[in-house]
Amino acid sequence: MTNPAAASDTRTVRTLSVPSADLRDALADASPAVEVVLWDFATPPEGFDPATLDAAVLPYTGRAHLGGALDAAPNLRLVQTQSTGYDGVADLVGPDVAIATAAGVHAAATAELAVGLALASLRGIDDAVRQQAEGRWLSARYPGLADRRVLLVGVGGIGEEIRKRLATFEAEVTRVGSSARDDDLGHIHGSSELVELAPRHDVVIVITPLTDATRGLIGRDVLAALPDGALVVNVARGAVVDTDALTREVLAGRLRAALDVVDPEPLPADHPLWGAPGVLITPHVGGNTGAFPPRILALLRRQIERMGNGEEPANLVRRGPWA
């Protein structure tokens, strides 16, 4: 999809679609220069011509049913996700359409889940829940999070929130980014060093975006290099971790896993990870807490204000001819 009208469009009122009536009503007064309309993409838009649409907010989860829907909006300039990740979004629109994410909205919630999953596994809480259901009292010593050596793969906004929380629990954190560099907090290792770093760490927490470069990043070699009993926590995207390789390591009793995301998602009902010992799975709920609604509303209100003022949207991961 291209937007040949973008450069010559002189309309003073822009049109933004949102996927729920609650969002439309809450944002109706955000800017007199922006009309907020409802389009859930599951049904044809009502009350407006999608050819006049300037920007669209995508649904919070699930984009499978959006395939082809945005073709009805040839003058679209911006798509706004309600998630931090944006994998697959570029496939929905042409190369001239800007993409903005909800970076920051999910940071606190995802960070608390990452640390929560690590704590639950490292303190044996998942085992205790199973034992409770069986009426068994079984006291054991678990590693805990204090003094654990944590390999944090991902140094963006959520990664930094995870790092701060790990510091509270007195864990020793090694940060890994796409490339080696230094910042105000010290050294960031490059992802090419993962195999070398893995043997010296007890926990790996994955929070890097899914891109061509990170697909399968935590693969067979990295997993094999981790010490016996190490824990893999994934709150990024399932495909960043090689599911088959992780499954083999877990079933062999060598590694534990705490996963909010998996590949494929959801896992088939008969997948061995469901019942594997040492595995804790949550259904991709990293950012889905009570903090989400007010935070996404605040972000969308700021985006609408910028849109109404002719300013570039925040959180762009791909720029387009917006202003």
Side-chain angles (χ1 to χ4, degrees), residues 69 203 315:
V203 181
N315 294 349

Side-chain angles (χ1 to χ4, degrees), residues 1-24:
M1 182 193 310
T2 59
N3 73 10
S8 59
D9 191 353
T10 58
R11 288 179 294 129
T12 57
V13 177
R14 304 296 185 188
T15 304
L16 167 78
S17 71
V18 294
S20 72
D22 288 346
L23 282 176
R24 178 198 59 193

